[in-house]
Amino acid sequence: QRAAEPGLPFRSGLHQLLFNDDDDGDGRRPPLGPMTTPPRSATSIAAWYERSAAARDPMGMAAFGEALLHGVGGSTDTSLGLVLITEAATNGSDFAAYTLGKAFLEGNFGLTKDPVRARFWLVKAVGDCKLKHMSESGRANATRLLRELDAAE
C-alpha cells in the first residue's frame, strides 16, 4: 500500500521493469524500495502508480505516465501519458522533464521534433526541478542531449 503514498522514491518496481535499472553497473538491480512485499507483475506495480498519480503526486504521475506511454501493465495511452508527464514536469519532476525533453528532441509519442522545447525541458531536468528522482544515468543522458543540442546550433 505504501507505494501509492506521495513522495516515495521513484526508483522502485515499475521503474526497474521499464528500464532494467542498474545505475552502479554491477549487474544487479537496486532493491524495490518502500514496498514490503514486491508486486508480482507490471500490472500490479502500474496500479500502485495509478493511485499515486490520482493523489496528484508528481513522482507517481511521472511513473504512471511513463507506464502509459510504453504500455507497461496495460494498454498504451499516449494522450493521458503525455498529460501526466507534462503535469509532473510542471510540478518539478526531473524525470518527467527529461522524458518531455527527449520526446521533443526525437519526435516521440506523436510530438513534433522541436529543439527549442527539447532544450527547455532538458535544462529543467538537469538543474531546475525540485523533485530529483531521476537516476544518475538519466541525468547523464539529459546532460549529453543538451551538449548535442548545443553542438547542432
Side-chain angles (χ1 to χ4, degrees):
Q1 290 176 329
R2 291 194 53 206
E5 293 175 10
L8 292 175
F10 179 73
R11 284 183 29 187
S12 60
L14 180 61
H15 185 79
Q16 292 173 11
L17 286 171
L18 286 170
F19 304 107
N20 193 22
D21 195 7
D22 175 28
D23 266 356
D24 58 8
D26 68 357
R28 296 178 315 181
R29 290 181 175 177
L32 285 176
M35 295 176 258
T36 55
T37 304
R40 299 185 190 276
S41 69
T43 302
S44 60
I45 294 168
W48 284 113
Y49 280 114
E50 182 175 17
R51 290 178 184 172
S52 183
R56 312 310 303 153
D57 176 64
M59 289 187 273
M61 288 188 287
F64 188 54
E66 187 74 6
L68 290 170
L69 291 175
H70 296 283
V72 174
S75 60
T76 301
D77 187 340
T78 305
S79 298
L80 181 56
L82 285 172
V83 166
L84 290 171
I85 290 286
T86 302
E87 282 188 64
T90 301
N91 286 303
S93 164
D94 62 350
F95 176 77
Y98 166 73
T99 301
L100 278 177
K102 188 173 180 191
F104 278 116
L105 183 65
E106 298 174 352
N108 294 335
F109 310 115
L111 297 175
T112 303
K113 286 185 180 185
D114 187 334
V116 173
R117 284 192 172 102
R119 175 182 303 286
F120 173 82
W121 289 113
L122 290 169
V123 165
K124 282 195 160 304
V126 298
D128 293 345
C129 289
K130 63 183 177 186
L131 296 173
K132 308 285 186 194
H133 60 114
M134 182 167 45
S135 67
E136 288 303 316
S137 61
R139 199 169 334 288
N141 283 336
T143 302
R144 179 184 54 79
L145 292 174
L146 276 171
R147 279 196 301 260
E148 290 174 8
L149 277 170
D150 290 340
E153 288 183 346

mmCIF file with all atom_site columns, all heavy atoms in Angstrom, residues 72-95:
data_model
loop_
_atom_site.group_PDB
_atom_site.id
_atom_site.type_symbol
_atom_site.label_atom_id
_atom_site.label_alt_id
_atom_site.label_comp_id
_atom_site.label_asym_id
_atom_site.label_entity_id
_atom_site.label_seq_id
_atom_site.pdbx_PDB_ins_code
_atom_site.Cartn_x
_atom_site.Cartn_y
_atom_site.Cartn_z
_atom_site.occupancy
_atom_site.B_iso_or_equiv
_atom_site.pdbx_formal_charge
_atom_site.auth_seq_id
_atom_site.auth_comp_id
_atom_site.auth_asym_id
_atom_site.auth_atom_id
_atom_site.pdbx_PDB_model_num
ATOM 1   N N   . VAL A 1 72 ? 3.171  -0.442 -20.244 1.00 0.00 ? 72 VAL A N   1
ATOM 2   C CA  . VAL A 1 72 ? 3.592  -1.357 -19.176 1.00 0.00 ? 72 VAL A CA  1
ATOM 3   C C   . VAL A 1 72 ? 2.438  -1.520 -18.196 1.00 0.00 ? 72 VAL A C   1
ATOM 4   O O   . VAL A 1 72 ? 1.904  -0.546 -17.679 1.00 0.00 ? 72 VAL A O   1
ATOM 5   C CB  . VAL A 1 72 ? 4.838  -0.820 -18.441 1.00 0.00 ? 72 VAL A CB  1
ATOM 6   C CG1 . VAL A 1 72 ? 5.181  -1.700 -17.259 1.00 0.00 ? 72 VAL A CG1 1
ATOM 7   C CG2 . VAL A 1 72 ? 6.003  -0.719 -19.405 1.00 0.00 ? 72 VAL A CG2 1
ATOM 8   N N   . GLY A 1 73 ? 2.030  -2.748 -17.963 1.00 0.00 ? 73 GLY A N   1
ATOM 9   C CA  . GLY A 1 73 ? 0.958  -3.023 -17.025 1.00 0.00 ? 73 GLY A CA  1
ATOM 10  C C   . GLY A 1 73 ? -0.431 -2.825 -17.595 1.00 0.00 ? 73 GLY A C   1
ATOM 11  O O   . GLY A 1 73 ? -1.414 -2.868 -16.879 1.00 0.00 ? 73 GLY A O   1
ATOM 12  N N   . GLY A 1 74 ? -0.529 -2.610 -18.884 1.00 0.00 ? 74 GLY A N   1
ATOM 13  C CA  . GLY A 1 74 ? -1.823 -2.389 -19.534 1.00 0.00 ? 74 GLY A CA  1
ATOM 14  C C   . GLY A 1 74 ? -1.604 -1.876 -20.937 1.00 0.00 ? 74 GLY A C   1
ATOM 15  O O   . GLY A 1 74 ? -0.518 -1.970 -21.492 1.00 0.00 ? 74 GLY A O   1
ATOM 16  N N   . SER A 1 75 ? -2.644 -1.305 -21.500 1.00 0.00 ? 75 SER A N   1
ATOM 17  C CA  . SER A 1 75 ? -2.525 -0.815 -22.869 1.00 0.00 ? 75 SER A CA  1
ATOM 18  C C   . SER A 1 75 ? -1.839 0.551  -22.897 1.00 0.00 ? 75 SER A C   1
ATOM 19  O O   . SER A 1 75 ? -1.782 1.262  -21.902 1.00 0.00 ? 75 SER A O   1
ATOM 20  C CB  . SER A 1 75 ? -3.910 -0.730 -23.513 1.00 0.00 ? 75 SER A CB  1
ATOM 21  O OG  . SER A 1 75 ? -4.726 0.159  -22.782 1.00 0.00 ? 75 SER A OG  1
ATOM 22  N N   . THR A 1 76 ? -1.327 0.903  -24.051 1.00 0.00 ? 76 THR A N   1
ATOM 23  C CA  . THR A 1 76 ? -0.704 2.202  -24.259 1.00 0.00 ? 76 THR A CA  1
ATOM 24  C C   . THR A 1 76 ? -1.781 3.272  -24.337 1.00 0.00 ? 76 THR A C   1
ATOM 25  O O   . THR A 1 76 ? -2.803 3.086  -25.000 1.00 0.00 ? 76 THR A O   1
ATOM 26  C CB  . THR A 1 76 ? 0.115  2.188  -25.568 1.00 0.00 ? 76 THR A CB  1
ATOM 27  O OG1 . THR A 1 76 ? 1.107  1.169  -25.474 1.00 0.00 ? 76 THR A OG1 1
ATOM 28  C CG2 . THR A 1 76 ? 0.785  3.519  -25.830 1.00 0.00 ? 76 THR A CG2 1
ATOM 29  N N   . ASP A 1 77 ? -1.554 4.381  -23.645 1.00 0.00 ? 77 ASP A N   1
ATOM 30  C CA  . ASP A 1 77 ? -2.432 5.547  -23.723 1.00 0.00 ? 77 ASP A CA  1
ATOM 31  C C   . ASP A 1 77 ? -1.533 6.771  -23.809 1.00 0.00 ? 77 ASP A C   1
ATOM 32  O O   . ASP A 1 77 ? -1.193 7.388  -22.801 1.00 0.00 ? 77 ASP A O   1
ATOM 33  C CB  . ASP A 1 77 ? -3.361 5.616  -22.516 1.00 0.00 ? 77 ASP A CB  1
ATOM 34  C CG  . ASP A 1 77 ? -4.411 6.718  -22.629 1.00 0.00 ? 77 ASP A CG  1
ATOM 35  O OD1 . ASP A 1 77 ? -4.219 7.664  -23.432 1.00 0.00 ? 77 ASP A OD1 1
ATOM 36  O OD2 . ASP A 1 77 ? -5.413 6.643  -21.898 1.00 0.00 ? 77 ASP A OD2 1
ATOM 37  N N   . THR A 1 78 ? -1.119 7.090  -25.037 1.00 0.00 ? 78 THR A N   1
ATOM 38  C CA  . THR A 1 78 ? -0.165 8.168  -25.256 1.00 0.00 ? 78 THR A CA  1
ATOM 39  C C   . THR A 1 78 ? -0.708 9.512  -24.781 1.00 0.00 ? 78 THR A C   1
ATOM 40  O O   . THR A 1 78 ? 0.019  10.292 -24.162 1.00 0.00 ? 78 THR A O   1
ATOM 41  C CB  . THR A 1 78 ? 0.222  8.243  -26.750 1.00 0.00 ? 78 THR A CB  1
ATOM 42  O OG1 . THR A 1 78 ? 0.707  6.962  -27.148 1.00 0.00 ? 78 THR A OG1 1
ATOM 43  C CG2 . THR A 1 78 ? 1.293  9.278  -27.000 1.00 0.00 ? 78 THR A CG2 1
ATOM 44  N N   . SER A 1 79 ? -1.970 9.788  -25.055 1.00 0.00 ? 79 SER A N   1
ATOM 45  C CA  . SER A 1 79 ? -2.536 11.089 -24.671 1.00 0.00 ? 79 SER A CA  1
ATOM 46  C C   . SER A 1 79 ? -2.488 11.300 -23.160 1.00 0.00 ? 79 SER A C   1
ATOM 47  O O   . SER A 1 79 ? -1.970 12.312 -22.677 1.00 0.00 ? 79 SER A O   1
ATOM 48  C CB  . SER A 1 79 ? -3.974 11.220 -25.173 1.00 0.00 ? 79 SER A CB  1
ATOM 49  O OG  . SER A 1 79 ? -4.011 11.166 -26.575 1.00 0.00 ? 79 SER A OG  1
ATOM 50  N N   . LEU A 1 80 ? -3.029 10.360 -22.399 1.00 0.00 ? 80 LEU A N   1
ATOM 51  C CA  . LEU A 1 80 ? -3.013 10.500 -20.944 1.00 0.00 ? 80 LEU A CA  1
ATOM 52  C C   . LEU A 1 80 ? -1.587 10.433 -20.409 1.00 0.00 ? 80 LEU A C   1
ATOM 53  O O   . LEU A 1 80 ? -1.233 11.166 -19.476 1.00 0.00 ? 80 LEU A O   1
ATOM 54  C CB  . LEU A 1 80 ? -3.887 9.433  -20.283 1.00 0.00 ? 80 LEU A CB  1
ATOM 55  C CG  . LEU A 1 80 ? -3.975 9.503  -18.753 1.00 0.00 ? 80 LEU A CG  1
ATOM 56  C CD1 . LEU A 1 80 ? -4.465 10.874 -18.274 1.00 0.00 ? 80 LEU A CD1 1
ATOM 57  C CD2 . LEU A 1 80 ? -4.875 8.393  -18.228 1.00 0.00 ? 80 LEU A CD2 1
ATOM 58  N N   . GLY A 1 81 ? -0.752 9.590  -21.010 1.00 0.00 ? 81 GLY A N   1
ATOM 59  C CA  . GLY A 1 81 ? 0.642  9.517  -20.586 1.00 0.00 ? 81 GLY A CA  1
ATOM 60  C C   . GLY A 1 81 ? 1.342  10.860 -20.719 1.00 0.00 ? 81 GLY A C   1
ATOM 61  O O   . GLY A 1 81 ? 2.037  11.308 -19.801 1.00 0.00 ? 81 GLY A O   1
ATOM 62  N N   . LEU A 1 82 ? 1.138  11.547 -21.846 1.00 0.00 ? 82 LEU A N   1
ATOM 63  C CA  . LEU A 1 82 ? 1.758  12.860 -22.042 1.00 0.00 ? 82 LEU A CA  1
ATOM 64  C C   . LEU A 1 82 ? 1.178  13.907 -21.101 1.00 0.00 ? 82 LEU A C   1
ATOM 65  O O   . LEU A 1 82 ? 1.907  14.773 -20.600 1.00 0.00 ? 82 LEU A O   1
ATOM 66  C CB  . LEU A 1 82 ? 1.611  13.317 -23.492 1.00 0.00 ? 82 LEU A CB  1
ATOM 67  C CG  . LEU A 1 82 ? 2.528  12.609 -24.487 1.00 0.00 ? 82 LEU A CG  1
ATOM 68  C CD1 . LEU A 1 82 ? 2.165  12.995 -25.920 1.00 0.00 ? 82 LEU A CD1 1
ATOM 69  C CD2 . LEU A 1 82 ? 3.993  12.920 -24.204 1.00 0.00 ? 82 LEU A CD2 1
ATOM 70  N N   . VAL A 1 83 ? -0.121 13.832 -20.838 1.00 0.00 ? 83 VAL A N   1
ATOM 71  C CA  . VAL A 1 83 ? -0.730 14.770 -19.885 1.00 0.00 ? 83 VAL A CA  1
ATOM 72  C C   . VAL A 1 83 ? -0.085 14.598 -18.512 1.00 0.00 ? 83 VAL A C   1
ATOM 73  O O   . VAL A 1 83 ? 0.311  15.579 -17.867 1.00 0.00 ? 83 VAL A O   1
ATOM 74  C CB  . VAL A 1 83 ? -2.262 14.574 -19.810 1.00 0.00 ? 83 VAL A CB  1
ATOM 75  C CG1 . VAL A 1 83 ? -2.853 15.294 -18.606 1.00 0.00 ? 83 VAL A CG1 1
ATOM 76  C CG2 . VAL A 1 83 ? -2.926 15.060 -21.089 1.00 0.00 ? 83 VAL A CG2 1
ATOM 77  N N   . LEU A 1 84 ? 0.022  13.359 -18.053 1.00 0.00 ? 84 LEU A N   1
ATOM 78  C CA  . LEU A 1 84 ? 0.597  13.105 -16.731 1.00 0.00 ? 84 LEU A CA  1
ATOM 79  C C   . LEU A 1 84 ? 2.072  13.489 -16.663 1.00 0.00 ? 84 LEU A C   1
ATOM 80  O O   . LEU A 1 84 ? 2.525  14.082 -15.679 1.00 0.00 ? 84 LEU A O   1
ATOM 81  C CB  . LEU A 1 84 ? 0.407  11.638 -16.341 1.00 0.00 ? 84 LEU A CB  1
ATOM 82  C CG  . LEU A 1 84 ? -1.031 11.230 -16.027 1.00 0.00 ? 84 LEU A CG  1
ATOM 83  C CD1 . LEU A 1 84 ? -1.138 9.723  -15.880 1.00 0.00 ? 84 LEU A CD1 1
ATOM 84  C CD2 . LEU A 1 84 ? -1.529 11.928 -14.774 1.00 0.00 ? 84 LEU A CD2 1
ATOM 85  N N   . ILE A 1 85 ? 2.824  13.162 -17.706 1.00 0.00 ? 85 ILE A N   1
ATOM 86  C CA  . ILE A 1 85 ? 4.245  13.520 -17.739 1.00 0.00 ? 85 ILE A CA  1
ATOM 87  C C   . ILE A 1 85 ? 4.399  15.043 -17.724 1.00 0.00 ? 85 ILE A C   1
ATOM 88  O O   . ILE A 1 85 ? 5.242  15.585 -17.003 1.00 0.00 ? 85 ILE A O   1
ATOM 89  C CB  . ILE A 1 85 ? 4.934  12.906 -18.987 1.00 0.00 ? 85 ILE A CB  1
ATOM 90  C CG1 . ILE A 1 85 ? 5.037  11.387 -18.859 1.00 0.00 ? 85 ILE A CG1 1
ATOM 91  C CG2 . ILE A 1 85 ? 6.289  13.543 -19.256 1.00 0.00 ? 85 ILE A CG2 1
ATOM 92  C CD1 . ILE A 1 85 ? 6.071  10.883 -17.887 1.00 0.00 ? 85 ILE A CD1 1
ATOM 93  N N   . THR A 1 86 ? 3.578  15.753 -18.487 1.00 0.00 ? 86 THR A N   1
ATOM 94  C CA  . THR A 1 86 ? 3.660  17.215 -18.522 1.00 0.00 ? 86 THR A CA  1
ATOM 95  C C   . THR A 1 86 ? 3.300  17.818 -17.166 1.00 0.00 ? 86 THR A C   1
ATOM 96  O O   . THR A 1 86 ? 3.979  18.726 -16.685 1.00 0.00 ? 86 THR A O   1
ATOM 97  C CB  . THR A 1 86 ? 2.754  17.774 -19.624 1.00 0.00 ? 86 THR A CB  1
ATOM 98  O OG1 . THR A 1 86 ? 3.152  17.205 -20.878 1.00 0.00 ? 86 THR A OG1 1
ATOM 99  C CG2 . THR A 1 86 ? 2.862  19.288 -19.709 1.00 0.00 ? 86 THR A CG2 1
ATOM 100 N N   . GLU A 1 87 ? 2.244  17.309 -16.540 1.00 0.00 ? 87 GLU A N   1
ATOM 101 C CA  . GLU A 1 87 ? 1.882  17.802 -15.204 1.00 0.00 ? 87 GLU A CA  1
ATOM 102 C C   . GLU A 1 87 ? 2.997  17.539 -14.206 1.00 0.00 ? 87 GLU A C   1
ATOM 103 O O   . GLU A 1 87 ? 3.321  18.402 -13.386 1.00 0.00 ? 87 GLU A O   1
ATOM 104 C CB  . GLU A 1 87 ? 0.596  17.139 -14.719 1.00 0.00 ? 87 GLU A CB  1
ATOM 105 C CG  . GLU A 1 87 ? -0.663 17.710 -15.315 1.00 0.00 ? 87 GLU A CG  1
ATOM 106 C CD  . GLU A 1 87 ? -1.902 17.142 -14.639 1.00 0.00 ? 87 GLU A CD  1
ATOM 107 O OE1 . GLU A 1 87 ? -2.081 17.396 -13.423 1.00 0.00 ? 87 GLU A OE1 1
ATOM 108 O OE2 . GLU A 1 87 ? -2.662 16.452 -15.326 1.00 0.00 ? 87 GLU A OE2 1
ATOM 109 N N   . ALA A 1 88 ? 3.571  16.361 -14.256 1.00 0.00 ? 88 ALA A N   1
ATOM 110 C CA  . ALA A 1 88 ? 4.651  16.018 -13.331 1.00 0.00 ? 88 ALA A CA  1
ATOM 111 C C   . ALA A 1 88 ? 5.856  16.930 -13.553 1.00 0.00 ? 88 ALA A C   1
ATOM 112 O O   . ALA A 1 88 ? 6.460  17.416 -12.592 1.00 0.00 ? 88 ALA A O   1
ATOM 113 C CB  . ALA A 1 88 ? 5.034  14.552 -13.494 1.00 0.00 ? 88 ALA A CB  1
ATOM 114 N N   . ALA A 1 89 ? 6.205  17.174 -14.811 1.00 0.00 ? 89 ALA A N   1
ATOM 115 C CA  . ALA A 1 89 ? 7.337  18.046 -15.118 1.00 0.00 ? 89 ALA A CA  1
ATOM 116 C C   . ALA A 1 89 ? 7.053  19.474 -14.659 1.00 0.00 ? 89 ALA A C   1
ATOM 117 O O   . ALA A 1 89 ? 7.929  20.134 -14.077 1.00 0.00 ? 89 ALA A O   1
ATOM 118 C CB  . ALA A 1 89 ? 7.635  18.018 -16.621 1.00 0.00 ? 89 ALA A CB  1
ATOM 119 N N   . THR A 1 90 ? 5.853  19.937 -14.883 1.00 0.00 ? 90 THR A N   1
ATOM 120 C CA  . THR A 1 90 ? 5.468  21.282 -14.458 1.00 0.00 ? 90 THR A CA  1
ATOM 121 C C   . THR A 1 90 ? 5.514  21.411 -12.936 1.00 0.00 ? 90 THR A C   1
ATOM 122 O O   . THR A 1 90 ? 5.819  22.476 -12.404 1.00 0.00 ? 90 THR A O   1
ATOM 123 C CB  . THR A 1 90 ? 4.062  21.621 -14.984 1.00 0.00 ? 90 THR A CB  1
ATOM 124 O OG1 . THR A 1 90 ? 4.083  21.525 -16.418 1.00 0.00 ? 90 THR A OG1 1
ATOM 125 C CG2 . THR A 1 90 ? 3.627  23.011 -14.595 1.00 0.00 ? 90 THR A CG2 1
ATOM 126 N N   . ASN A 1 91 ? 5.248  20.310 -12.247 1.00 0.00 ? 91 ASN A N   1
ATOM 127 C CA  . ASN A 1 91 ? 5.266  20.297 -10.781 1.00 0.00 ? 91 ASN A CA  1
ATOM 128 C C   . ASN A 1 91 ? 6.616  19.895 -10.208 1.00 0.00 ? 91 ASN A C   1
ATOM 129 O O   . ASN A 1 91 ? 6.712  19.575 -9.021  1.00 0.00 ? 91 ASN A O   1
ATOM 130 C CB  . ASN A 1 91 ? 4.159  19.394 -10.245 1.00 0.00 ? 91 ASN A CB  1
ATOM 131 C CG  . ASN A 1 91 ? 2.806  20.044 -10.396 1.00 0.00 ? 91 ASN A CG  1
ATOM 132 O OD1 . ASN A 1 91 ? 2.586  21.142 -9.895  1.00 0.00 ? 91 ASN A OD1 1
ATOM 133 N ND2 . ASN A 1 91 ? 1.902  19.396 -11.094 1.00 0.00 ? 91 ASN A ND2 1
ATOM 134 N N   . GLY A 1 92 ? 7.668  19.865 -11.035 1.00 0.00 ? 92 GLY A N   1
ATOM 135 C CA  . GLY A 1 92 ? 9.020  19.722 -10.520 1.00 0.00 ? 92 GLY A CA  1
ATOM 136 C C   . GLY A 1 92 ? 9.706  18.385 -10.662 1.00 0.00 ? 92 GLY A C   1
ATOM 137 O O   . GLY A 1 92 ? 10.790 18.193 -10.118 1.00 0.00 ? 92 GLY A O   1
ATOM 138 N N   . SER A 1 93 ? 9.152  17.448 -11.410 1.00 0.00 ? 93 SER A N   1
ATOM 139 C CA  . SER A 1 93 ? 9.780  16.135 -11.583 1.00 0.00 ? 93 SER A CA  1
ATOM 140 C C   . SER A 1 93 ? 10.892 16.202 -12.622 1.00 0.00 ? 93 SER A C   1
ATOM 141 O O   . SER A 1 93 ? 10.635 16.491 -13.793 1.00 0.00 ? 93 SER A O   1
ATOM 142 C CB  . SER A 1 93 ? 8.735  15.100 -12.015 1.00 0.00 ? 93 SER A CB  1
ATOM 143 O OG  . SER A 1 93 ? 9.356  13.946 -12.535 1.00 0.00 ? 93 SER A OG  1
ATOM 144 N N   . ASP A 1 94 ? 12.122 15.922 -12.198 1.00 0.00 ? 94 ASP A N   1
ATOM 145 C CA  . ASP A 1 94 ? 13.224 15.942 -13.154 1.00 0.00 ? 94 ASP A CA  1
ATOM 146 C C   . ASP A 1 94 ? 13.090 14.827 -14.189 1.00 0.00 ? 94 ASP A C   1
ATOM 147 O O   . ASP A 1 94 ? 13.390 15.012 -15.362 1.00 0.00 ? 94 ASP A O   1
ATOM 148 C CB  . ASP A 1 94 ? 14.585 15.894 -12.460 1.00 0.00 ? 94 ASP A CB  1
ATOM 149 C CG  . ASP A 1 94 ? 14.864 14.651 -11.631 1.00 0.00 ? 94 ASP A CG  1
ATOM 150 O OD1 . ASP A 1 94 ? 13.938 13.841 -11.397 1.00 0.00 ? 94 ASP A OD1 1
ATOM 151 O OD2 . ASP A 1 94 ? 16.021 14.497 -11.190 1.00 0.00 ? 94 ASP A OD2 1
ATOM 152 N N   . PHE A 1 95 ? 12.605 13.658 -13.774 1.00 0.00 ? 95 PHE A N   1
ATOM 153 C CA  . PHE A 1 95 ? 12.440 12.556 -14.722 1.00 0.00 ? 95 PHE A CA  1
ATOM 154 C C   . PHE A 1 95 ? 11.405 12.895 -15.788 1.00 0.00 ? 95 PHE A C   1
ATOM 155 O O   . PHE A 1 95 ? 11.606 12.631 -16.973 1.00 0.00 ? 95 PHE A O   1
ATOM 156 C CB  . PHE A 1 95 ? 12.046 11.266 -13.993 1.00 0.00 ? 95 PHE A CB  1
ATOM 157 C CG  . PHE A 1 95 ? 11.782 10.144 -14.953 1.00 0.00 ? 95 PHE A CG  1
ATOM 158 C CD1 . PHE A 1 95 ? 12.839 9.479  -15.545 1.00 0.00 ? 95 PHE A CD1 1
ATOM 159 C CD2 . PHE A 1 95 ? 10.499 9.792  -15.314 1.00 0.00 ? 95 PHE A CD2 1
ATOM 160 C CE1 . PHE A 1 95 ? 12.610 8.463  -16.474 1.00 0.00 ? 95 PHE A CE1 1
ATOM 161 C CE2 . PHE A 1 95 ? 10.259 8.785  -16.227 1.00 0.00 ? 95 PHE A CE2 1
ATOM 162 C CZ  . PHE A 1 95 ? 11.321 8.124  -16.808 1.00 0.00 ? 95 PHE A CZ  1
#
